[in-house]
Amino acid sequence: EIVLTQSPGTLSLSPGGRASLSCRASQSVSSSYLAWYQHKPGQAPRLLIYGASSRATGIPDRFSGSGSGTDFTLTISRLEPEDFAVYYCQQYGTSPLTFGGGTKVEIK
Amino acid sequence: EVQLLESGGGLVQPGGSLRLSCAASGFTFNTYAMSWVRQAPGKGLEWVSAISASGGITYYADSVKGRFTISRDNSKNTLYLQMNSLRAEDTAVYYCAKSLQEWLNYYAMDVWGQGTTGTVSS
């Protein structure tokens, strides 16, 4: 099983700031099958990024993904009020699919 | 509009069973793999199970293998999760989710339902 470790656990930033979220895998993620999701309380998770760097339909370009192998990053270039949420990475290259523990982006 | 609507959650005693359903609409259900993902109270997301577009191939997390069974009825555009031998640690919101990519047995998930809550408690 591929274990995904996200850091930091919590990121305290101001609107307009830049967020950089890390996701490290215990072994290489095949074909960069790494996704990022945004999750707000009481709502369904929302796919942001797949294939490590491809934005899903309708996702603003302030969200970007990068990385390969075992190290991946989600960057939010300028935080909008609606971006404060929990973010999860997920690998889907190998079963069992696994999620990271999440990074909470909170308002400073 | 692409939609997923879960149902079947509720309160059950340890050792009991629940059957979750997920009604799909707005897309060609029989060409996409589907998954169940859960979130226990105060915890993160946990992938539970996936099923291929035809229903012939299934995958499970170790935590539910042998207790849960995923299935689908493509004639009814409905996904199921039969949960047996339930434990307190199975208490969670259960989401069904659609694969982004057609035909692949599992992939990133681009459409999610609102979730249904299963509570295991005496």
Side-chain angles (χ1 to χ4, degrees), chain B residues 80-101:
Chain B
Y80 302 100
L81 185 67
Q82 178 67 45
M83 305 189 295
N84 297 332
S85 302
L86 283 163
R87 307 165 180 166
E89 55 265 35
D90 295 317
T91 294
V93 176
Y94 285 78
Y95 298 98
C96 66
K98 166 190 165 290
S99 283
L100 171 65
Q101 193 72 31

PDB file of all heavy atoms in Angstrom, chain B residues 80-101:
ATOM      1  N   TYR B  80     -24.068  -0.003  -5.497  1.00  0.00           N
ATOM      2  CA  TYR B  80     -24.419  -0.497  -4.164  1.00  0.00           C
ATOM      3  C   TYR B  80     -23.168  -0.765  -3.332  1.00  0.00           C
ATOM      4  O   TYR B  80     -22.088  -1.020  -3.862  1.00  0.00           O
ATOM      5  CB  TYR B  80     -25.222  -1.800  -4.257  1.00  0.00           C
ATOM      6  CG  TYR B  80     -26.492  -1.696  -5.063  1.00  0.00           C
ATOM      7  CD1 TYR B  80     -26.525  -2.147  -6.388  1.00  0.00           C
ATOM      8  CD2 TYR B  80     -27.641  -1.142  -4.524  1.00  0.00           C
ATOM      9  CE1 TYR B  80     -27.682  -2.051  -7.142  1.00  0.00           C
ATOM     10  CE2 TYR B  80     -28.808  -1.042  -5.275  1.00  0.00           C
ATOM     11  CZ  TYR B  80     -28.818  -1.501  -6.577  1.00  0.00           C
ATOM     12  OH  TYR B  80     -29.969  -1.402  -7.314  1.00  0.00           O
ATOM     13  N   LEU B  81     -23.364  -0.740  -2.012  1.00  0.00           N
ATOM     14  CA  LEU B  81     -22.334  -1.208  -1.091  1.00  0.00           C
ATOM     15  C   LEU B  81     -23.037  -1.982   0.015  1.00  0.00           C
ATOM     16  O   LEU B  81     -23.770  -1.401   0.818  1.00  0.00           O
ATOM     17  CB  LEU B  81     -21.520  -0.052  -0.497  1.00  0.00           C
ATOM     18  CG  LEU B  81     -20.343  -0.486   0.379  1.00  0.00           C
ATOM     19  CD1 LEU B  81     -19.267  -1.178  -0.479  1.00  0.00           C
ATOM     20  CD2 LEU B  81     -19.739   0.708   1.111  1.00  0.00           C
ATOM     21  N   GLN B  82     -22.849  -3.295   0.021  1.00  0.00           N
ATOM     22  CA  GLN B  82     -23.392  -4.146   1.077  1.00  0.00           C
ATOM     23  C   GLN B  82     -22.347  -4.236   2.182  1.00  0.00           C
ATOM     24  O   GLN B  82     -21.211  -4.669   1.936  1.00  0.00           O
ATOM     25  CB  GLN B  82     -23.703  -5.542   0.540  1.00  0.00           C
ATOM     26  CG  GLN B  82     -24.222  -6.515   1.586  1.00  0.00           C
ATOM     27  CD  GLN B  82     -25.593  -6.120   2.123  1.00  0.00           C
ATOM     28  OE1 GLN B  82     -26.486  -5.763   1.356  1.00  0.00           O
ATOM     29  NE2 GLN B  82     -25.751  -6.198   3.441  1.00  0.00           N
ATOM     30  N   MET B  83     -22.725  -3.793   3.379  1.00  0.00           N
ATOM     31  CA  MET B  83     -21.795  -3.745   4.505  1.00  0.00           C
ATOM     32  C   MET B  83     -22.278  -4.722   5.585  1.00  0.00           C
ATOM     33  O   MET B  83     -23.356  -4.528   6.150  1.00  0.00           O
ATOM     34  CB  MET B  83     -21.715  -2.323   5.057  1.00  0.00           C
ATOM     35  CG  MET B  83     -21.339  -1.289   3.996  1.00  0.00           C
ATOM     36  SD  MET B  83     -20.982   0.341   4.683  1.00  0.00           S
ATOM     37  CE  MET B  83     -22.570   0.803   5.343  1.00  0.00           C
ATOM     38  N   ASN B  84     -21.487  -5.745   5.838  1.00  0.00           N
ATOM     39  CA  ASN B  84     -21.819  -6.752   6.848  1.00  0.00           C
ATOM     40  C   ASN B  84     -20.805  -6.709   7.980  1.00  0.00           C
ATOM     41  O   ASN B  84     -19.738  -6.106   7.857  1.00  0.00           O
ATOM     42  CB  ASN B  84     -21.826  -8.143   6.221  1.00  0.00           C
ATOM     43  CG  ASN B  84     -22.878  -8.293   5.145  1.00  0.00           C
ATOM     44  OD1 ASN B  84     -23.920  -7.621   5.156  1.00  0.00           O
ATOM     45  ND2 ASN B  84     -22.620  -9.177   4.181  1.00  0.00           N
ATOM     46  N   SER B  85     -21.145  -7.383   9.073  1.00  0.00           N
ATOM     47  CA  SER B  85     -20.247  -7.476  10.233  1.00  0.00           C
ATOM     48  C   SER B  85     -19.715  -6.098  10.615  1.00  0.00           C
ATOM     49  O   SER B  85     -18.508  -5.912  10.823  1.00  0.00           O
ATOM     50  CB  SER B  85     -19.081  -8.431   9.933  1.00  0.00           C
ATOM     51  OG  SER B  85     -19.556  -9.701   9.590  1.00  0.00           O
ATOM     52  N   LEU B  86     -20.616  -5.154  10.726  1.00  0.00           N
ATOM     53  CA  LEU B  86     -20.211  -3.768  10.947  1.00  0.00           C
ATOM     54  C   LEU B  86     -19.617  -3.566  12.333  1.00  0.00           C
ATOM     55  O   LEU B  86     -20.022  -4.204  13.317  1.00  0.00           O
ATOM     56  CB  LEU B  86     -21.397  -2.834  10.727  1.00  0.00           C
ATOM     57  CG  LEU B  86     -21.717  -2.600   9.245  1.00  0.00           C
ATOM     58  CD1 LEU B  86     -23.111  -2.034   9.062  1.00  0.00           C
ATOM     59  CD2 LEU B  86     -20.675  -1.695   8.607  1.00  0.00           C
ATOM     60  N   ARG B  87     -18.645  -2.654  12.382  1.00  0.00           N
ATOM     61  CA  ARG B  87     -17.923  -2.315  13.614  1.00  0.00           C
ATOM     62  C   ARG B  87     -18.095  -0.825  13.892  1.00  0.00           C
ATOM     63  O   ARG B  87     -18.411  -0.051  12.980  1.00  0.00           O
ATOM     64  CB  ARG B  87     -16.437  -2.624  13.435  1.00  0.00           C
ATOM     65  CG  ARG B  87     -16.129  -4.032  12.970  1.00  0.00           C
ATOM     66  CD  ARG B  87     -14.707  -4.128  12.473  1.00  0.00           C
ATOM     67  NE  ARG B  87     -14.355  -5.478  12.014  1.00  0.00           N
ATOM     68  CZ  ARG B  87     -13.278  -5.770  11.301  1.00  0.00           C
ATOM     69  NH1 ARG B  87     -12.426  -4.798  10.971  1.00  0.00           N
ATOM     70  NH2 ARG B  87     -13.051  -7.019  10.926  1.00  0.00           N
ATOM     71  N   ALA B  88     -17.818  -0.429  15.107  1.00  0.00           N
ATOM     72  CA  ALA B  88     -17.925   0.988  15.461  1.00  0.00           C
ATOM     73  C   ALA B  88     -17.055   1.848  14.556  1.00  0.00           C
ATOM     74  O   ALA B  88     -17.436   2.962  14.182  1.00  0.00           O
ATOM     75  CB  ALA B  88     -17.535   1.181  16.924  1.00  0.00           C
ATOM     76  N   GLU B  89     -15.909   1.328  14.169  1.00  0.00           N
ATOM     77  CA  GLU B  89     -14.983   2.107  13.333  1.00  0.00           C
ATOM     78  C   GLU B  89     -15.456   2.256  11.887  1.00  0.00           C
ATOM     79  O   GLU B  89     -14.827   2.967  11.108  1.00  0.00           O
ATOM     80  CB  GLU B  89     -13.571   1.508  13.371  1.00  0.00           C
ATOM     81  CG  GLU B  89     -13.480   0.052  13.002  1.00  0.00           C
ATOM     82  CD  GLU B  89     -13.501  -0.869  14.222  1.00  0.00           C
ATOM     83  OE1 GLU B  89     -14.209  -0.547  15.207  1.00  0.00           O
ATOM     84  OE2 GLU B  89     -12.814  -1.907  14.164  1.00  0.00           O
ATOM     85  N   ASP B  90     -16.556   1.617  11.533  1.00  0.00           N
ATOM     86  CA  ASP B  90     -17.145   1.822  10.205  1.00  0.00           C
ATOM     87  C   ASP B  90     -18.092   3.024  10.193  1.00  0.00           C
ATOM     88  O   ASP B  90     -18.601   3.393   9.127  1.00  0.00           O
ATOM     89  CB  ASP B  90     -17.920   0.576   9.762  1.00  0.00           C
ATOM     90  CG  ASP B  90     -17.021  -0.633   9.562  1.00  0.00           C
ATOM     91  OD1 ASP B  90     -15.928  -0.464   8.974  1.00  0.00           O
ATOM     92  OD2 ASP B  90     -17.407  -1.736   9.990  1.00  0.00           O
ATOM     93  N   THR B  91     -18.329   3.615  11.355  1.00  0.00           N
ATOM     94  CA  THR B  91     -19.171   4.811  11.421  1.00  0.00           C
ATOM     95  C   THR B  91     -18.543   5.926  10.595  1.00  0.00           C
ATOM     96  O   THR B  91     -17.391   6.302  10.822  1.00  0.00           O
ATOM     97  CB  THR B  91     -19.332   5.279  12.873  1.00  0.00           C
ATOM     98  OG1 THR B  91     -20.067   4.287  13.599  1.00  0.00           O
ATOM     99  CG2 THR B  91     -20.053   6.614  12.947  1.00  0.00           C
ATOM    100  N   ALA B  92     -19.295   6.442   9.629  1.00  0.00           N
ATOM    101  CA  ALA B  92     -18.734   7.429   8.703  1.00  0.00           C
ATOM    102  C   ALA B  92     -19.816   7.980   7.780  1.00  0.00           C
ATOM    103  O   ALA B  92     -20.912   7.422   7.687  1.00  0.00           O
ATOM    104  CB  ALA B  92     -17.637   6.784   7.845  1.00  0.00           C
ATOM    105  N   VAL B  93     -19.467   9.055   7.116  1.00  0.00           N
ATOM    106  CA  VAL B  93     -20.226   9.495   5.945  1.00  0.00           C
ATOM    107  C   VAL B  93     -19.659   8.739   4.754  1.00  0.00           C
ATOM    108  O   VAL B  93     -18.440   8.730   4.547  1.00  0.00           O
ATOM    109  CB  VAL B  93     -20.101  11.013   5.721  1.00  0.00           C
ATOM    110  CG1 VAL B  93     -20.819  11.411   4.434  1.00  0.00           C
ATOM    111  CG2 VAL B  93     -20.652  11.776   6.916  1.00  0.00           C
ATOM    112  N   TYR B  94     -20.534   8.113   4.001  1.00  0.00           N
ATOM    113  CA  TYR B  94     -20.123   7.325   2.835  1.00  0.00           C
ATOM    114  C   TYR B  94     -20.511   8.072   1.557  1.00  0.00           C
ATOM    115  O   TYR B  94     -21.685   8.429   1.360  1.00  0.00           O
ATOM    116  CB  TYR B  94     -20.785   5.950   2.861  1.00  0.00           C
ATOM    117  CG  TYR B  94     -20.167   5.023   3.889  1.00  0.00           C
ATOM    118  CD1 TYR B  94     -20.478   5.140   5.245  1.00  0.00           C
ATOM    119  CD2 TYR B  94     -19.234   4.052   3.512  1.00  0.00           C
ATOM    120  CE1 TYR B  94     -19.893   4.324   6.190  1.00  0.00           C
ATOM    121  CE2 TYR B  94     -18.650   3.227   4.445  1.00  0.00           C
ATOM    122  CZ  TYR B  94     -18.979   3.361   5.783  1.00  0.00           C
ATOM    123  OH  TYR B  94     -18.389   2.534   6.715  1.00  0.00           O
ATOM    124  N   TYR B  95     -19.514   8.319   0.716  1.00  0.00           N
ATOM    125  CA  TYR B  95     -19.720   9.005  -0.557  1.00  0.00           C
ATOM    126  C   TYR B  95     -19.552   8.008  -1.699  1.00  0.00           C
ATOM    127  O   TYR B  95     -18.622   7.190  -1.675  1.00  0.00           O
ATOM    128  CB  TYR B  95     -18.676  10.095  -0.770  1.00  0.00           C
ATOM    129  CG  TYR B  95     -18.675  11.220   0.229  1.00  0.00           C
ATOM    130  CD1 TYR B  95     -17.784  11.218   1.303  1.00  0.00           C
ATOM    131  CD2 TYR B  95     -19.534  12.314   0.091  1.00  0.00           C
ATOM    132  CE1 TYR B  95     -17.760  12.267   2.211  1.00  0.00           C
ATOM    133  CE2 TYR B  95     -19.514  13.366   0.998  1.00  0.00           C
ATOM    134  CZ  TYR B  95     -18.626  13.325   2.055  1.00  0.00           C
ATOM    135  OH  TYR B  95     -18.603  14.372   2.954  1.00  0.00           O
ATOM    136  N   CYS B  96     -20.399   8.123  -2.703  1.00  0.00           N
ATOM    137  CA  CYS B  96     -20.095   7.437  -3.952  1.00  0.00           C
ATOM    138  C   CYS B  96     -19.478   8.466  -4.900  1.00  0.00           C
ATOM    139  O   CYS B  96     -19.732   9.675  -4.791  1.00  0.00           O
ATOM    140  CB  CYS B  96     -21.322   6.776  -4.577  1.00  0.00           C
ATOM    141  SG  CYS B  96     -22.610   7.887  -5.157  1.00  0.00           S
ATOM    142  N   ALA B  97     -18.635   7.984  -5.796  1.00  0.00           N
ATOM    143  CA  ALA B  97     -17.899   8.880  -6.681  1.00  0.00           C
ATOM    144  C   ALA B  97     -17.674   8.228  -8.034  1.00  0.00           C
ATOM    145  O   ALA B  97     -17.466   7.015  -8.125  1.00  0.00           O
ATOM    146  CB  ALA B  97     -16.564   9.264  -6.052  1.00  0.00           C
ATOM    147  N   LYS B  98     -17.687   9.054  -9.051  1.00  0.00           N
ATOM    148  CA  LYS B  98     -17.532   8.597 -10.443  1.00  0.00           C
ATOM    149  C   LYS B  98     -16.097   8.826 -10.903  1.00  0.00           C
ATOM    150  O   LYS B  98     -15.478   9.850 -10.596  1.00  0.00           O
ATOM    151  CB  LYS B  98     -18.489   9.405 -11.322  1.00  0.00           C
ATOM    152  CG  LYS B  98     -18.251   9.335 -12.817  1.00  0.00           C
ATOM    153  CD  LYS B  98     -19.086  10.360 -13.545  1.00  0.00           C
ATOM    154  CE  LYS B  98     -18.600  10.557 -14.977  1.00  0.00           C
ATOM    155  NZ  LYS B  98     -17.309  11.239 -15.028  1.00  0.00           N
ATOM    156  N   SER B  99     -15.565   7.867 -11.640  1.00  0.00           N
ATOM    157  CA  SER B  99     -14.237   8.043 -12.231  1.00  0.00           C
ATOM    158  C   SER B  99     -14.270   9.107 -13.314  1.00  0.00           C
ATOM    159  O   SER B  99     -15.235   9.229 -14.061  1.00  0.00           O
ATOM    160  CB  SER B  99     -13.730   6.736 -12.833  1.00  0.00           C
ATOM    161  OG  SER B  99     -13.267   5.867 -11.846  1.00  0.00           O
ATOM    162  N   LEU B 100     -13.194   9.869 -13.396  1.00  0.00           N
ATOM    163  CA  LEU B 100     -13.071  10.909 -14.416  1.00  0.00           C
ATOM    164  C   LEU B 100     -12.964  10.303 -15.809  1.00  0.00           C
ATOM    165  O   LEU B 100     -13.513  10.820 -16.783  1.00  0.00           O
ATOM    166  CB  LEU B 100     -11.832  11.761 -14.127  1.00  0.00           C
ATOM    167  CG  LEU B 100     -11.393  12.766 -15.178  1.00  0.00           C
ATOM    168  CD1 LEU B 100     -12.459  13.855 -15.350  1.00  0.00           C
ATOM    169  CD2 LEU B 100     -10.056  13.385 -14.805  1.00  0.00           C
ATOM    170  N   GLN B 101     -12.248   9.185 -15.893  1.00  0.00           N
ATOM    171  CA  GLN B 101     -11.914   8.595 -17.182  1.00  0.00           C
ATOM    172  C   GLN B 101     -12.785   7.385 -17.464  1.00  0.00           C
ATOM    173  O   GLN B 101     -12.953   6.521 -16.597  1.00  0.00           O
ATOM    174  CB  GLN B 101     -10.434   8.185 -17.172  1.00  0.00           C
ATOM    175  CG  GLN B 101      -9.843   7.845 -18.510  1.00  0.00           C
ATOM    176  CD  GLN B 101      -9.649   9.065 -19.389  1.00  0.00           C
ATOM    177  OE1 GLN B 101      -9.401  10.157 -18.898  1.00  0.00           O
ATOM    178  NE2 GLN B 101      -9.787   8.889 -20.680  1.00  0.00           N
TER     179      GLN B 101
END
